[in-house]
Amino acid sequence: MVFITVAIFPSLLLAFSDSGRYSHTILLLQALAVVLISTFQSRYDRILHYKLVWLLITDVFEGNMDPDDSVGAPDGSQLADNQHGIGQYIETGNSNFKSPVASRESSNIDQNQKNELKNSPEPQTTLEPLGNGKREATNVQIGKRSATLFLSSHSLKLSSKPKAGVTAKKPSTEGKIPPPSRTSSNISQSSSQRKQTIKNSVHPDELSQLRVKKEFTFTGYDIMADVEPVPVIPEEEQVSHEIRKAYTESCKQIGVIPVRSLIPQLCSPVVQLRCRSLGPKGADALAIALVNNPTVTSLDLEDNGIGAEGAKSLAEMLDVNHNITDVSLAENLISKDGLSAITDMMKNNFYIQSLDLTGSGFVDSDSYIVADLLENNKILRELVLSHNQFGDKGGYLIAQALALNDTLRIIDLSWNHIRGEGAKSIAACLQKNIGLRKMDISWNGFTTADCMIFGVTLKDNTTLKELDISNNQLGENAIAYLMKGIQKNDGLEILRIGGNLIIPKMAIVILKTIEQSETCRVHTLDMGDTEVDEEFYTIADEMQAKGSFEVAHGPVIKRRDLKANSAGAIDGNMDAVYELFKYMSDNNYRVIDLMKWLDKDNSMSISRDEFKKGMITAEVPLTEHQLDILLDKLDADGDGEVDFKQLERLLENCC
């Protein structure tokens, strides 16, 4: 109600006023009312109100509106005001004459004509520029911003589809008169002339077909300037979002739950997911997400139970994705079918350089697939086949493929069952292979005969840098043959030989062989937990002082000073248990230490022969007869195994 009262009241005063004396003042009051009302409106409504204020003011002060023909017209023009708003204009065909839509001269339209106007359909209108080419403009202040507002064009045309029964007529061009003077002497005359012109130019029947069309141009102020811009997401974040989205959608498609810890890794170079029970379906979902992944270069899925089906899905992905170079499917039991899929993929993939298939459940019958992989792929640099079940046949086929492959740098065959012909073939392949830099054959079944072949092939091989032959039950003769080949080798730098049947004297032989050789370049010797004596320790210390040499070994045995025994012989009358107790006390040995040293094969049991041989090797001052008496006490049940609990009880009685 406040809006209607304030906005319409000045117009009513002007409509019922017979004199134009106060029309300027009343019109300005109306403009002021519109401005006041706009303060309660939104920002976009205020812009429209400012436009209307400007039109009202410019019409009065530039002579485009006669004081007698101001707003608030009754009768038929009121309908135009309702449809098009206050302050809109029509052009009657005279480019030098403009008149308000709402004028009292239109009151001659009868009530029937007004009803026809209300019921007539909306006519088609067009836009025409102002005839005089004048552009009315002003600067307005909107908050802290300034803008330019002007009326660029307005027009009035007859509808292209006139009302039935009414003949459309073009606006008359007769009776054109110049713009009326604003002096008080000719106001009445100009008003009379204008009435006559309107009657001659616009027929009442045509008025129903007239519509106003105007165009406002609003520059200098962007109405969207106050709207917060949409934040620009960096390209890297967009890529990360797409990668995460691809994984979640693939999980939804497969029907598995996404692994939360895996999602952020998909945007980094390394994906490491171990022991998470991913399963075949989880591997399938991951494979779909990695097909177009541009960031991941290393994929480690150790111990996830993906099986052969999961390996097939990953192989299909790796056939497309050429960004991944390191792949680990260890402890997943992919078996023969998974190995076949990986091998077929590797024939066409020239990017994967490291492949870990540890604990995959391979047997001898699968070795020909491995051989096929080694023969047909020249890009792979590291192949890990540890903890499988390759035996004689498997070792033989793999060795034949290694002899023909000069691009593989690391081969790991540890924790298999390679022995016999397979072990001999592995030792012999080093004579032809010139590509391998590291060979790990620990925890297999190499023997003295195999070490004889190593002694020959290592003389000619100059490319192998590291050899791990630990834990193969190699005896004194096997170590001697192996060291003959290493003595004349000028390429090997790291030798791992621990876990074999090496006594302290043999340990000194190994160390002196390396020290005295003119060609040997071994700078790292790993003896594991092999016990050594003080002489070994002294020689090793001297070698380390001369240059860069490192050696790892077990505890150092301190020898008894036998000079205290004037006879220089072992007293056979002494109690064997007491002599053993005294020996262990002098060397700070515990029963568990003695058992660990004697149990070379880690079988957690010691036979009578192993115990007797160990006592002689350690130079325990006991005669053979004394050892037999001691063993009878330690093997009371006669099963051929030493009972260390019984030994512990006997030693406690000596305290």
Side-chain angles (χ1 to χ4, degrees):
M1 293 299 294
V2 175
F3 180 92
I4 298 175
T5 303
V6 177
I8 299 179
F9 180 70
S11 299
L12 295 176
L13 292 177
L14 185 61
F16 288 98
S17 176
D18 294 333
S19 174
R21 166 183 280 179
Y22 302 106
S23 59
H24 289 79
T25 303
I26 293 174
L27 192 60
L28 291 177
L29 287 175
Q30 186 176 15
L32 179 60
V34 174
V35 173
L36 292 175
I37 294 170
S38 66
T39 60
F40 299 97
Q41 307 298 318
S42 64
R43 178 163 61 90
Y44 303 105
D45 293 335
R46 289 200 298 272
I47 295 173
L48 179 60
H49 290 148
Y50 288 140
K51 296 178 182 180
L52 299 178
V53 170
W54 167 243
L55 293 176
L56 291 172
I57 295 174
T58 53
D59 280 337
V60 173
F61 290 99
E62 294 187 8
N64 294 331
M65 180 182 288
D66 191 51
D68 291 339
D69 298 329
S70 56
V71 298
D75 302 329
S77 61
Q78 184 178 358
L79 179 61
D81 290 341
N82 292 337
Q83 295 177 346
H84 304 289
I86 301 174
Q88 297 185 354
Y89 296 86
I90 63 173
E91 187 174 16
T92 61
N94 187 350
S95 61
N96 295 323
F97 178 77
K98 296 197 291 279
S99 174
V101 172
S103 60
R104 288 193 297 273
E105 283 76 7
S106 62
S107 61
N108 57 349
I109 303 176
D110 57 15
Q111 188 64 30
N112 294 331
Q113 291 173 331
K114 289 193 292 182
N115 294 334
E116 292 177 357
L117 288 175
K118 293 180 181 179
N119 298 327
S120 61
E122 185 70 19
Q124 300 293 328
T125 61
T126 58
L127 182 65
E128 294 181 357
L130 289 172
N132 54 9
K134 186 175 181 180
R135 306 189 75 178
E136 303 164 358
T138 186
N139 291 328
V140 295
Q141 191 74 18
I142 304 177
K144 296 182 179 180
R145 302 176 184 271
S146 61
T148 302
L149 179 68
F150 57 87
L151 183 67
S152 61
S153 65
H154 62 232
S155 64
L156 181 69
K157 288 195 70 176
L158 293 177
S159 172
S160 59
K161 296 180 180 181
K163 185 177 180 182
V166 180
T167 304
K169 296 182 180 180
K170 295 183 179 180
S172 175
T173 58
E174 297 180 359
K176 295 182 181 179
I177 60 174
S181 174
R182 309 304 291 181
T183 61
S184 59
S185 60
N186 61 359
I187 288 177
S188 300
Q189 181 180 359
S190 62
S191 176
S192 177
Q193 292 175 351
R194 187 168 301 176
K195 293 176 183 178
Q196 183 64 33
T197 304
I198 293 175
K199 291 179 180 180
N200 295 335
S201 58
V202 181
H203 192 274
D205 294 337
E206 298 174 351
L207 187 60
S208 63
Q209 304 176 45
L210 298 178
R211 289 295 182 270
V212 177
K213 185 70 175 181
K214 68 176 182 176
E215 179 184 356
F216 289 104
T217 304
F218 189 41
T219 61
Y221 179 78
D222 184 7
I223 62 176
M224 300 302 294
D226 294 333
V227 179
E228 292 188 10
V230 178
V232 179
I233 303 176
E235 184 177 356
E236 294 182 357
E237 293 185 8
Q238 291 181 356
V239 174
S240 299
H241 175 72
E242 293 297 329
I243 291 174
R244 293 185 178 96
K245 182 179 179 182
Y247 176 61
T248 55
E249 289 183 352
S250 64
C251 288
K252 184 177 180 181
Q253 178 183 353
I254 300 300
V256 296
I257 300 175
V259 181
R260 183 175 299 179
S261 61
L262 178 61
I263 295 177
Q265 296 186 53
L266 294 174
C267 303
S268 63
V270 179
V271 171
Q272 187 179 73
L273 188 71
R274 296 181 176 180
C275 308
R276 295 301 298 270
S277 301
L278 195 62
K281 290 187 176 180
D284 193 11
L286 177 60
I288 295 174
L290 289 176
V291 169
N292 296 316
N293 188 296
T295 59
V296 176
T297 58
S298 177
L299 180 62
D300 186 353
L301 300 177
E302 180 179 337
D303 195 11
N304 273 282
I306 67 173
E309 295 301 321
K312 291 179 182 179
S313 299
L314 293 172
E316 293 178 2
M317 177 272 296
L318 293 171
D319 200 20
V320 179
N321 187 320
H322 295 160
N323 295 313
I324 299 177
T325 58
D326 299 333
V327 179
S328 175
L329 302 180
E331 305 297 339
N332 279 288
L333 296 176
I334 65 174
S335 67
K336 180 179 179 180
D337 293 338
L339 178 60
S340 298
I342 295 294
T343 301
D344 293 340
M345 176 271 298
M346 291 294 291
K347 291 180 180 179
N348 300 319
N349 187 299
F350 304 104
Y351 302 92
I352 296 179
Q353 299 183 9
S354 176
L355 181 61
D356 188 351
L357 300 177
T358 298
S360 295
F362 302 148
V363 295
D364 276 346
S365 59
D366 302 328
S367 58
Y368 74 92
I369 304 177
V370 177
D372 186 24
L373 170 63
L374 292 173
E375 292 175 359
N376 292 282
N377 186 285
K378 303 302 180 182
I379 303 299
L380 191 63
R381 295 294 180 266
E382 179 179 4
L383 178 61
V384 181
L385 298 171
S386 178
H387 287 82
N388 284 289
Q389 301 176 30
F390 293 121
D392 295 358
K393 180 181 178 181
Y396 175 78
L397 292 176
I398 293 174
Q400 297 299 316
L402 287 174
L404 302 175
N405 187 306
D406 294 334
T407 58
L408 190 69
R409 296 293 179 259
I410 300 173
I411 181 68
D412 186 352
L413 295 171
S414 61
W415 288 93
N416 278 277
H417 307 311
I418 300 175
R419 62 189 73 243
E421 292 298 323
K424 291 180 173 62
S425 300
I426 293 293
C429 77
L430 291 178
Q431 192 168 18
K432 295 182 178 180
N433 184 284
I434 58 174
L436 283 177
R437 300 294 183 267
K438 177 182 178 181
M439 174 181 282
D440 187 351
I441 51 175
S442 60
W443 295 97
N444 279 283
F446 286 79
T447 62
T448 302
D450 306 325
C451 288
M452 290 179 62
I453 299 176
F454 269 120
V456 175
T457 57
L458 286 175
K459 293 179 181 179
D460 301 328
N461 187 292
T462 60
T463 57
L464 188 67
K465 302 300 180 183
E466 180 177 350
L467 175 62
D468 188 347
I469 196 171
S470 58
N471 296 286
N472 273 278
Q473 295 293 308
L474 300 178
E476 182 176 349
N477 293 332
I479 297 297
Y481 284 121
L482 181 65
M483 294 309 299
K484 287 182 180 180
I486 294 176
Q487 185 178 16
K488 297 182 180 180
N489 181 281
D490 61 352
L492 194 66
E493 298 176 353
I494 301 174
L495 176 62
R496 304 187 188 278
I497 200 172
N500 290 294
L501 302 177
I502 302 175
I503 60 178
K505 288 183 178 180
M506 194 65 205
I508 295 175
V509 173
I510 295 173
L511 197 60
K512 287 184 176 181
T513 300
I514 297 174
E515 180 187 22
Q516 297 173 0
S517 175
E518 297 180 356
T519 58
C520 182
R521 297 183 180 181
V522 174
H523 58 71
T524 300
L525 176 63
D526 185 358
M527 302 283 291
D529 59 352
T530 301
E531 292 182 347
V532 297
D533 57 15
E534 293 177 341
E535 183 180 358
F536 179 95
Y537 186 80
T538 302
I539 297 174
D541 190 40
E542 293 176 356
M543 294 177 64
Q544 291 176 353
K546 293 179 181 179
S548 58
F549 182 78
E550 297 180 2
V551 59
H553 55 78
V556 179
I557 300 175
K558 296 181 180 180
R559 293 182 176 276
R560 292 179 55 183
D561 188 6
L562 298 181
K563 294 182 180 180
N565 189 345
S566 57
I570 300 175
D571 188 359
N573 296 321
M574 295 294 294
D575 182 60
V577 177
Y578 177 77
E579 288 294 328
L580 179 60
F581 170 76
K582 191 175 181 180
Y583 172 82
M584 294 178 64
S585 298
D586 292 342
N587 292 279
N588 296 320
Y589 279 173
R590 301 171 300 174
V591 174
I592 187 66
D593 296 329
L594 181 63
M595 179 181 177
K596 184 178 179 181
W597 181 73
L598 294 174
D599 186 16
K600 300 297 184 179
D601 57 357
N602 295 324
S603 62
M604 302 302 295
S605 63
I606 306 297
S607 65
R608 292 174 64 99
D609 292 338
E610 288 177 334
F611 185 87
K612 190 173 183 179
K613 184 177 180 181
M615 293 295 100
I616 296 173
T617 302
E619 297 182 355
V620 178
L622 292 174
T623 64
E624 186 175 353
H625 177 68
Q626 288 176 317
L627 287 174
D628 291 336
I629 296 174
L630 178 61
L631 286 171
D632 290 339
K633 294 180 180 180
L634 298 178
D635 184 21
D637 56 0
D639 61 352
E641 301 290 335
V642 175
D643 186 354
F644 278 87
K645 291 184 179 180
Q646 178 65 18
L647 176 62
E648 189 173 1
R649 287 192 293 268
L650 292 174
L651 293 175
E652 288 177 356
N653 295 331
C654 295
C655 297

